[in-house]
Amino acid sequence: MIGYLKGNVSHLFADYCFIDVQGVGYRVHIPLSTRQQLSVGATASLFTYLNVREDALLLFGFFTVAEYDLFMLLVSVSGVGPKVAMGILSAIAPTDFQRAIAQKNLTLLTKISGIGKKTAERLILELKDKVGAGDELDSFAGATMPINSGAADGSGIMAEALQALLALGYNQSEIMPVLRKISQKNGESSLTTEDFIRQALKEFATGR
């Protein structure tokens, strides 16, 4: 699985872009919210999801963890594929979507292009408990920190730690809450990549 890309934006279109990573151009489908953060010629870092189909391999990219988390949650709903999920992400902020689900706001959900009443009802039915528990959507409130272009600050260190932990077999959805917890506890600027990795492994080992 390709969990993360960092490279130069060589081309930018309405709903996808090309990211040049050491001479290899990746076509990455992106929501509007992510597109607004990108510019041609700039370095960008995106959380990614690889959708494997019989006829194609499609790569989806997200500027923030919140966008990525919502996308992964949406595609877990029966009848909601990547195309519909990207449409939702382009139309509504993750926190607003969370609120709409929690409040069972059919009116707001059906205003999103491609979402009819039945789909909106299914989204509420399948996600309301997860929203209420906050287990899978807890990152929506505070995970707006991107691993952004030219990251020479702590976000770049977290990105490197994320990549290393992904290589060790951990899932991005379980890694990011731990990295944020470590950052908030210690102060991101005072930690190295190795510090993040070491403390994250301790967190995973103790199950906290």
Side-chain angles (χ1 to χ4, degrees):
M1 172 183 169
I2 302 175
Y4 164 78
L5 282 179
K6 182 177 181 180
N8 292 323
V9 180
S10 60
H11 299 78
L12 188 59
F13 302 94
D15 57 357
Y16 69 93
C17 66
F18 285 106
I19 302 290
D20 184 333
V21 182
Q22 297 182 349
V24 178
Y26 291 86
R27 177 172 176 163
V28 187
H29 297 270
I30 52 176
L32 178 60
S33 52
T34 289
R35 188 190 187 284
Q36 293 172 341
Q37 303 294 331
L38 305 179
S39 59
V40 174
T43 300
S45 300
L46 299 177
F47 296 102
T48 58
Y49 167 78
L50 180 62
N51 179 240
V52 180
R53 301 188 336 198
E54 291 184 1
D55 59 342
L57 297 175
L58 302 177
L59 194 61
F60 297 86
F62 311 93
F63 194 67
T64 67
V65 181
E67 292 172 334
Y68 174 87
D69 285 347
L70 177 53
F71 176 85
M72 295 302 293
L73 197 61
L74 287 169
V75 295
S76 72
V77 175
S78 57
V80 176
K83 183 177 180 180
V84 174
M86 293 295 275
I88 293 173
L89 278 164
S90 292
I92 188 170
T95 50
D96 292 334
F97 178 83
Q98 179 187 23
R99 190 176 301 110
I101 294 295
Q103 297 175 351
K104 301 180 181 180
N105 191 337
L106 281 173
T107 301
L108 178 59
L109 292 173
T110 52
K111 286 182 179 179
I112 300 173
S113 178
I115 302 297
K117 183 178 179 181
K118 289 185 177 180
T119 301
E121 290 174 340
R122 189 181 309 118
L123 287 168
I124 291 173
L125 178 65
E126 296 193 26
L127 299 182
K128 60 182 175 61
D129 291 337
K130 295 175 182 178
V131 170
D135 292 335
E136 298 195 36
L137 294 178
D138 60 352
S139 62
F140 285 10
T144 57
M145 178 184 61
I147 39 177
N148 53 17
S149 58
D153 55 7
S155 61
I157 293 173
M158 285 186 68
E160 293 174 357
L162 168 66
Q163 190 75 343
L165 292 166
L166 285 170
L168 291 175
Y170 293 98
N171 295 322
Q172 188 161 309
S173 59
E174 63 180 335
I175 295 171
M176 289 311 300
V178 171
L179 293 183
R180 288 194 297 274
K181 177 181 177 180
I182 294 170
S183 176
Q184 293 168 359
K185 181 180 179 181
N186 299 278
E188 196 174 335
S189 61
S190 66
L191 297 175
T192 65
T193 301
E194 290 73 20
D195 291 332
F196 269 111
I197 296 171
R198 184 172 59 254
Q199 292 191 38
L201 292 174
K202 288 182 179 179
E203 291 283 337
F204 291 136
T206 57
R208 291 180 295 175

